[in-house]
Amino acid sequence: MSGVLYLAWRYLLWHRFKTAILVLAVTLVIYLPVGLQLVVQRTAADMTARADSSPLLLGSRGSPLELVLNSLYFSAGSPPSLDYGQLQELRDSGLVEPIPLYVRFHSAGHPIVGTNLDYFDFRGLELSRGRQMVGLGEAVVGSRVAQQLDVGAGDAVVSSPESVFDLAGVYPLKMWVVGVLAPAFSEDDNAIFVDIKTAWIIQGLGHGHQDLARPEAAAAVLKKDGERIVANAALVQYNEITPDNSDTFHFHGDNDSNPLTAILPVPHNDKAQVLILGRYQSHPELQIVQPRLVMDELLATVFAVQRYVLVAMVLVGIATGAVVLLVFLLSLRARRAEMDTMSRLGGSAIAIGSLMLAEVALVLLASALLAATLTGATLILGGPLLQAVVTQ
Amino acid sequence: MIEITDLLFKYSGSDFALQVKRLVIDSAEAVAVVGPSGSGKTTLLNLLAGVLLPDEGQVRVGTQQVSTLHDAARRDFRIKQLGMVFQNFELLEYLSVLDNILLPLRIGAGLKVNKAARVRARDLAGHVGIADKLQRYPGQLSQGERQRVAVSRALLLQPSLILADEPTGNLDPSNKTLVLDLLLDYARTHAATLVTVTHDRELLQRFDRVVDFSELNQWQGVT
Amino acid sequence: MRKLLVITVLLLAGCGVEGEVPSTEAVGTGVPVIYTVNYPLAWMAQQLLADTAEVVFPAPANVDPAFWQPDTDTVLRYQQADLVLLNGAGYASWVARVSLPGRTLIDTSGAYPEQLLTVPAGPSHSHGPGGQHSHGELAFTTWLDLGLARQQSQAVSVAAQRLLPSQATAIEQRLAELQRMLTVMDERLMALGRQLGERPLLYSHPVYQYLQRRYQLNGRALHWEPDQVPDEAQWSHLQGILQSHPAQIMLWEAQPLPEVQVRLDELGIKTVVFSPMGNRPPSGDFASGMAANIERLEQ
């Protein structure tokens, strides 16, 4: 048998172009449906796990899917905002521990998640390097962010402006990385976490500037009327929070009216969950959703599309199989003289008959190995890619 | 010894038939078979090799009643006891010279390539003058070199009977002589029987006996 | 020798005046850890929880906790606490600039926002589209209104019972005793307020807003520091105030310099130390400190 395999191997190698095409065709026939199935299943499992771990979400009335995608998967496109004051109302209910989320800004393509320290405990996120954020302007980054941006404790990240033309609005804020999270194998690995107040500073709701009452700021004073001071454009506003200027940072007005994109209410128990659901079910301005149900709906659509694609792939696979079979049959006919020679030389009928089968087997083996490799690579890379497609 | 007795072979769907009353070839005899094209010379070789089975009569090679063996036994007989050389060389284009020589060991039942076989193949290649071309492919060889590869393949398992069908038909004069020399030299040194179909009248004198196949359906071996 | 050392340590540990709050935390005691932003809250927590929790108020003794800025390591320890008691009303502005877990924060003034006093805290300014605003808008020495202090202690009690449900009954009992103490002091101050009536008072610093409102005092605030001699402009400013507000008593956060006291005496103004007690007193506790405040004012 080894002789036959050797001959089959030499034949395939000799006709390497034909062999490559055959292997590629069979690989695709195997890989595409299998790979698609695995990727969809894996993605669905990951997204479902994420949704399962987040029992409830509270947001402004609008698209539940947009709320879930932005809050759990940090997709671009923020839902309508709700007031920070809702957080205390939820806390006062005694039913949940609410966690604020403000996912609107980005830095070098990574989402900036404004939240509080409760988020880390809720998600079980641990630090691998550095420390937890303490003050305004500090950030803790996910493991993939650290890897891709090559940042660690002591490095800086800068928020991206929302629009080049919106000079008076969201402007870049330089934030100092103080810690790197251990891999969580979730969207949290791709995120930059800041305190919710830092996110508001990015938005321009809070800022730090020279003390206008001090002599050094005289150039920035437009006019002074008793205790009222109006500043001019020369006022130096800080785009970076440092230990030297952190105490100048402040917010205007009541923080309760500052925006959030969502609140993660963590119920104390099942009964509390039911009660809080009932309380907000018919709220005129807010919506409370169960992420798992929303994701099930989305994934049902994905599965439906997948079924159609699989049917198409099976049909293509059958056609490809027929073509491959034709190629082998034509090859068999073309090699009849060769078979005849071997027969006349005294080659065993089994050996000669096995030669074509050995070639088929080698092609199938190579295809299977290549398909397995592609499937493995797809599982690693395709899951996040598909999830990005689904969530964006 | 080869012995054919009352042989009748008919090609299906054809009027052609081969009828040989009796033919005897002694062991270690070098016999040339001559005759017009289409007279059945190749058929005779195929009957001797057991590739074809006669409709009537017997074919005996040595102790083997080839005409009564089943297919597997005939193949086994061919691969281990026969060496076959063809006019068109019939090498496998996708195998190197060395692999072509070793081909019988890869397709023969119960045979396999081992170190001794490789050594013998190299020796044969050296003997026929192609030792430096072992890694080349048939497409890279001249006609004469290809036939020498085919001869080496035929002699790999030290057959007791060599059947050569127009082995020099496609060769130039110098290569004709070279190839025939190889076959005759092997036959003499190994006491092997050589049956060669040839059109080359110039080479006939080098054989022990010339058998004329000119009469249709009539063959009488001269004993 | 080692045994003697251990015994000595144990004795010293038990030797504190009742209610004294340790300024350094014990490590690995296995009980919940509660951090506070000022001394009154630490005292309340200590009163309610006794030895069932570790109460930590980490500000150094020589700083005003309202303006103290903890370092990074201290904030990290706040983050690890099981409860962080905030005064509310903007007290300890550093809280607004750090990250603390929401679930551990207790705003002890959160239940009565309508009772918080707003004050102009300095020059207001405007820039950009935000309009007029000033930095620091609420008076924050809420505990000087002992009625509000009772409410703060109630908030501390609720948080403590949630943290240690097994101690709920004991906490309730201690709360009753604590509130009784606060009520006694509250009534004394009420009586004192009635006694003082409309008599004009002066305050060395604007930290007595809640005291003034609760006990119907008639005071005006300066910006004088106990450890500094006012300049002539400040003395002139005082003279101007006395024209329309002839105060004869001035409440100080701490004992002023002798020369200042002498000059005030010359103006007919008596110095009375009424410590706001934002930080721990040199001796005694909040209750004894407030009692001493009241006595001095009564005199």
Side-chain angles (χ1 to χ4, degrees), chain A residues 16 19-32 34-35 38 361-379:
Chain A
R16 51 180 62 99
T19 303
I21 292 175
L22 282 173
V23 167
L24 184 61
V26 177
T27 298
L28 287 175
V29 167
I30 299 171
Y31 159 66
L32 285 176
V34 171
L38 282 171
L362 285 176
V363 167
L364 287 178
L365 180 65
S367 302
L369 285 173
L370 189 54
T373 305
L374 286 172
T375 302
T378 304
L379 276 174

Side-chain angles (χ1 to χ4, degrees), chain C residues 11-28:
Chain C
L11 280 176
L12 284 174
C15 253
V17 172
E18 191 181 47
E20 181 178 357
V21 176
S23 62
T24 56
E25 59 185 284
V27 175

Side-chain angles (χ1 to χ4, degrees), chain C residues 18-54:
Chain C
E18 191 181 47
E20 181 178 357
V21 176
S23 62
T24 56
E25 59 185 284
V27 175
T29 57
V31 295
V33 176
I34 299 173
Y35 269 62
T36 75
V37 297
N38 64 18
Y39 170 70
L41 290 173
W43 175 77
M44 291 180 197
Q46 188 71 58
Q47 293 298 304
L48 294 175
L49 289 157
D51 57 357
T52 60
E54 196 179 313

Side-chain angles (χ1 to χ4, degrees), chain A residues 6-7 10-11 14 335 338 341-349 351-352, chain B residues 51 75 78-79 84 86 90 92-95 99 103 106-107 109 137 153:
Chain A
Y6 180 80
L7 291 176
R10 297 306 307 181
Y11 179 83
W14 180 255
R335 295 171 70 187
E338 176 189 326
T341 298
M342 287 192 210
S343 186
R344 282 187 287 146
L345 286 175
S348 79
I352 297 169
Chain B
V51 174
R75 289 172 186 269
R78 279 201 294 280
I79 202 117
M84 305 206 43
F86 308 102
E90 296 188 22
L92 271 55
E93 294 296 318
Y94 55 90
L95 294 180
D99 281 335
L103 181 62
R106 292 205 159 99
I107 59 176
Y137 288 80
R153 180 180 68 189

Side-chain angles (χ1 to χ4, degrees), chain B residues 126-145:
Chain B
H127 184 67
V128 304
I130 51 169
D132 58 333
K133 294 182 170 53
L134 287 175
Q135 298 309 315
R136 298 228 185 142
Y137 288 80
Q140 298 170 303
L141 305 176
S142 66
Q143 304 268 60
E145 287 168 338

Side-chain angles (χ1 to χ4, degrees), chain B residues 30-197:
Chain B
V31 174
V33 179
V34 298
S37 295
S39 58
K41 300 187 294 299
T42 301
T43 304
L44 177 67
L45 291 186
N46 285 332
L47 286 165
L48 287 176
V51 174
L52 297 173
L53 288 176
D55 298 299
E56 292 175 16
Q58 292 176 354
V59 178
R60 186 168 61 88
V61 177
T63 58
Q64 301 270 24
Q65 282 285 2
V66 176
S67 50
T68 62
L69 293 176
H70 55 76
D71 181 67
R74 282 182 280 131
R75 289 172 186 269
D76 195 63
F77 158 73
R78 279 201 294 280
I79 202 117
K80 288 175 182 169
Q81 296 188 44
L82 291 190
M84 305 206 43
V85 182
F86 308 102
Q87 180 178 4
N88 294 322
F89 326 126
E90 296 188 22
L91 300 178
L92 271 55
E93 294 296 318
Y94 55 90
L95 294 180
S96 65
V97 165
L98 180 62
D99 281 335
N100 265 292
I101 296 172
L102 292 168
L103 181 62
L105 292 175
R106 292 205 159 99
I107 59 176
L111 300 178
K112 67 175 184 179
V113 173
N114 55 24
K115 193 174 172 187
R118 288 183 199 278
V119 170
R120 171 146 178 81
R122 287 179 203 280
D123 287 344
L124 275 168
H127 184 67
V128 304
I130 51 169
D132 58 333
K133 294 182 170 53
L134 287 175
Q135 298 309 315
R136 298 228 185 142
Y137 288 80
Q140 298 170 303
L141 305 176
S142 66
Q143 304 268 60
E145 287 168 338
R146 289 194 217 177
Q147 193 59 296
R148 280 182 266 164
V149 174
V151 169
S152 301
R153 180 180 68 189
L155 303 182
L156 179 70
L157 296 181
Q158 297 178 290
S160 57
L161 171 62
I162 304 159
L163 301 177
D165 190 357
E166 306 264 14
T168 58
N170 286 327
L171 302 180
D172 58 57
S174 62
N175 276 307
K176 283 181 205 277
T177 307
L178 180 62
V179 167
L180 190 58
D181 284 346
L182 288 170
L183 292 172
L184 287 169
D185 181 58
Y186 173 82
R188 287 192 183 114
T189 55
H190 289 76
T193 306
L194 173 62
V195 180
T196 306
V197 170

